[in-house]
Amino acid sequence: MALRADARNNRERILDAAREAFATRGLDVPMAAVARRAGVGVATLYRRFPSRESLITEVFGDELAACASVVDEALADPDPWRAFRVMVEKVCAMQVADRGFTEAFLTAFPEAVDFERTRTRAERGLAEVMARAKAAGRLRADFAPADLVLLLKANCGVATGSPEEAAAASRRLVAYLLQSFRAEHAEPLPPAPPLTLGHLHATAAR
């Protein structure tokens, strides 16, 4: 029983250390650095989590589920613009709170079936919420998926300084951009850039 409790404590320390390391340094932080932060040996870390993928998906499983829930709530909202606005606000707040989450969301983990299934559901939901807001005439007609990537890239850029400063800057930026996304009084814009979620991954990884 004592050994089982020991193993359980080691596992929790590893997860806490990985969560902190991924949030501040991204997913490329060395596994040895996670082990040192957790106060365990590298062999112990790999015994609990035999691959980086298994550690990442365990750390971010709850965050991904929370993101998917945000999208599900938006899909259930009868007001298309409110659904889009609140979804963007919440996703951007999650992005600023944890740098590692954006990268984890955009990285393929083919062996983590449940993680991949949840992520795919969230991505499809995002697209549907945007389509509904456009169809209702509330989201500007020329809004493209690349514009959402632009928003998230910009939001990555303000995630500096203290957590309080980053959160305040993100809220201000998102509010500004949401106003520009509204269909009312929309003026013509230059063409959307050829941005995909892969470009966002590159931004998050830096």
Side-chain angles (χ1 to χ4, degrees):
M1 183 68 71
L3 285 175
R4 292 216 308 258
D6 234 24
R8 188 165 56 248
N9 289 337
N10 283 343
R11 182 178 184 279
E12 291 306 315
R13 289 211 306 274
I14 291 169
L15 289 174
D16 288 344
R19 191 171 288 109
E20 293 172 4
F22 293 152
T24 57
R25 298 174 58 182
L27 301 189
D28 291 333
V29 61
M31 295 287 271
V34 173
R36 283 195 302 273
R37 188 185 288 250
V40 301
V42 174
T44 298
L45 187 154
Y46 277 106
R47 191 157 55 245
R48 303 287 173 257
F49 301 98
S51 68
R52 180 183 297 272
E53 174 179 311
S54 64
L55 180 59
I56 290 170
T57 54
E58 182 69 20
V59 166
F60 291 109
D62 289 344
E63 284 89 342
L64 181 60
C67 180
S69 293
V70 166
V71 176
D72 288 342
E73 290 170 6
L75 289 170
D77 191 328
D79 184 318
W81 173 252
R82 182 177 60 202
F84 175 78
R85 175 180 59 78
V86 173
M87 180 187 71
V88 167
E89 290 171 346
K90 289 184 177 180
V91 170
C92 286
M94 293 177 65
Q95 182 188 30
V96 167
D98 193 336
R99 172 188 168 187
F101 173 69
T102 301
E103 196 175 349
F105 182 79
L106 298 170
T107 302
F109 299 111
E111 295 181 11
V113 177
D114 290 342
F115 192 93
E116 286 293 294
R117 185 183 298 119
T118 302
R119 187 181 66 164
T120 299
R121 177 165 62 87
E123 288 178 344
R124 289 174 177 167
L126 280 167
E128 185 173 346
V129 171
M130 286 189 287
R132 288 181 182 182
K134 289 179 73 170
R138 303 296 303 280
L139 180 62
R140 56 185 305 145
D142 59 356
F143 186 88
D147 293 317
L148 184 60
V149 178
L150 274 176
L151 166 62
L152 295 173
K153 281 171 68 70
N155 200 48
C156 273
V158 301
T160 58
S162 70
E164 294 77 15
E165 291 169 343
S170 173
R171 286 192 296 270
R172 181 79 169 180
L173 173 70
V174 171
Y176 267 128
L177 292 177
L178 281 170
Q179 289 187 33
S180 73
F181 293 162
R182 295 180 69 98
E184 298 89 341
H185 312 299
E187 298 289 338
L189 293 172
L195 291 177
T196 65
L197 289 176
H199 292 86
L200 180 60
H201 185 291
T203 299
R206 284 201 292 269

